[in-house]
Amino acid sequence: MITAIVLIKTSVDRIPEIAEAVASLDSVSEVFSVTGTYDLIAMVRVAKHDDLAEVIPGRISKIPGVQGTDTHVAFRTYSQHDLEAAFAIGLDG
């Protein structure tokens, strides 16, 4: 499984509609509305790298109101347990 984190710049007045359209795509598992340079972050999960081309430029970028994307492909996924252990700072009594 290949995971891509897609940062999406949108028309600000259409964020909810665009988020719903992105979330409805089969390969998209989550969509977050965020602050900062980008308006939405989508988690895309596909079987092979070639599928990213169909989902991101082929579908997400063509949604009306999407102004641009910036895609980051994950090398490795860490479980929530691994992350908690990595960032534990010993605050438990």
Side-chain angles (χ1 to χ4, degrees), residues 20-40:
E20 288 181 20
V22 173
S24 72
L25 300 175
D26 289 337
S27 299
V28 176
S29 60
E30 298 98 10
V31 177
F32 304 95
S33 176
V34 297
T35 62
T37 304
Y38 292 91
D39 304 300
L40 300 171

Side-chain angles (χ1 to χ4, degrees), residues 79-89:
S79 71
Q80 186 63 34
H81 179 265
D82 293 339
L83 291 175
E84 288 171 2
F87 293 103
I89 56 174

Side-chain angles (χ1 to χ4, degrees), residues 3-22:
T3 301
I5 299 92
V6 184
L7 310 175
I8 305 169
K9 184 75 177 152
T10 70
S11 300
V12 178
D13 61 335
R14 300 207 51 237
I15 291 173
E17 296 87 357
I18 295 166
E20 288 181 20
V22 173

Side-chain angles (χ1 to χ4, degrees), residues 52-63:
L52 291 174
E54 180 180 327
V55 175
I56 300 164
R59 310 264 325 264
I60 293 175
S61 293
K62 292 181 179 177
I63 293 171

Side-chain angles (χ1 to χ4, degrees), residues 37-51:
T37 304
Y38 292 91
D39 304 300
L40 300 171
I41 296 176
M43 302 300 292
V44 175
R45 292 183 171 86
V46 294
K48 55 189 193 284
H49 282 97
D50 289 347
D51 295 337

